[in-house]
Amino acid sequence: MRITVFGAAGAVGRRVVAEALSRDHEVTAVVRDPARFAEPPAGARIRTADARNAEDVGRLAAGQDIVITATRPAPGGEPELVTVAKALLAGLAGTGVRLLVVGGAATLTVPGTGGLTVVEEPGFPAELRPIALACADQLAACRAATGVDWAYLSPPALLEPGERTGAYRLGAGELLVDAEGESRISMEDLAVALLDEAENPRHHRTRFTVGY
C-alpha cells in the first residue's frame, strides 16, 4: 500500500511509520519541522508540510491508498487537533483516499460507571482536560464529515512506549480493561492495530478502540 503519515516525528507517528515499513508498504512520512526528524526511518520518503493546510493534505495524498494522522499539539495548542482534522477531511474529500485518525480516549465510556466517559470521571486530571476535550471535538469533526471513509482509533487509558507483542483486543465505544483492571497498550502494539486496520478495513466512518 501507499501510505502517508502526518505527525511522523511524534512518538506514535514514528512507530506507525516503522510498522508500515516492516510490512513492506511505501511510506511517505510528513513532518512540519524537519529538525525534529533527525534520524528518519530508512526507507521512508520524508516530506515537509502542514496538516492544518488542506492543500498540503491533498497534494501529499494524491496517488495514495491511505492517510494516517498521529499529530499531537504542544500544551496550549490543543484546539489545533480540530483544525488538523478538518483540514485532513477537506483535503481528502472526494478523493477515495481513506483516513485513519489516532485520537484520544476521552469519549470512551468507563465500565461500571453507568455510562460516564473517561473525561467525565471524578478525579480526571485537570491538566489533561484541554487535550481530552480537544480529542472529543476531533472525533465530532470526523463524525460530521461526508465524502471521506475515515476511522478513529481511541487508545486505552495508558499509552506508553513498550514492547511489540502483536496481541491486542478490539473494542468500540467502551474503555477496554484487562484482568488486573488496567486499561493500557504499548505504542508499538497500537501501531500494529492501526496497520492491521489499514490492511484489512473493519471500521468505516466510526470509532474503535484497542487494549490488552
Side-chain angles (χ1 to χ4, degrees):
M1 298 178 71
R2 296 179 299 277
I3 301 173
T4 292
V5 180
F6 285 91
V12 172
R14 281 181 175 271
R15 289 164 172 82
V16 170
V17 170
E19 180 67 26
L21 289 171
S22 75
R23 302 185 187 206
D24 296 324
H25 296 302
E26 180 183 300
V27 181
T28 299
V30 185
V31 294
R32 192 186 305 174
D33 180 6
R36 291 190 58 215
F37 217 28
E39 298 180 4
R45 297 191 312 161
I46 312 302
R47 297 290 184 270
T48 302
D50 192 339
R52 297 170 298 183
N53 185 310
E55 290 185 2
D56 279 3
V57 172
R59 174 171 54 84
L60 288 167
Q64 301 297 86
D65 297 302
I66 194 163
V67 166
I68 297 173
T69 176
T71 64
R72 256 305 178 267
E78 290 85 0
E80 183 179 296
L81 273 183
V82 183
T83 303
V84 168
K86 290 180 177 179
L88 287 163
L89 292 161
L92 297 181
T95 65
V97 178
R98 193 161 182 249
L99 174 64
L100 290 184
V101 180
V102 179
T107 54
L108 292 170
T109 58
V110 181
T113 64
L116 287 180
T117 63
V118 172
V119 73
E120 291 170 340
E121 269 214 297
F124 185 82
E127 66 272 17
L128 296 181
R129 194 167 182 80
I131 189 66
L133 295 178
C135 286
D137 291 342
Q138 179 191 40
L139 177 57
C142 290
R143 286 174 168 164
T146 59
V148 178
D149 181 11
W150 58 269
Y152 184 101
L153 174 55
S154 285
L158 185 61
L159 177 64
E160 293 182 327
E163 180 185 358
R164 183 196 186 282
T165 70
Y168 60 90
R169 291 184 296 143
L170 279 173
E174 185 175 85
L175 196 71
L176 290 178
V177 178
D178 65 18
E180 285 73 44
E182 295 184 338
S183 175
R184 62 187 182 87
I185 199 169
S186 69
M187 290 180 178
E188 287 77 5
D189 280 336
L190 186 87
V192 170
L194 201 66
L195 266 296
D196 286 350
E197 174 66 25
E199 294 176 346
N200 299 291
R202 299 176 60 178
H203 303 90
H204 300 277
R205 296 186 176 88
T206 191
R207 179 258 295 283
F208 68 105
T209 188
V210 294
Y212 291 135

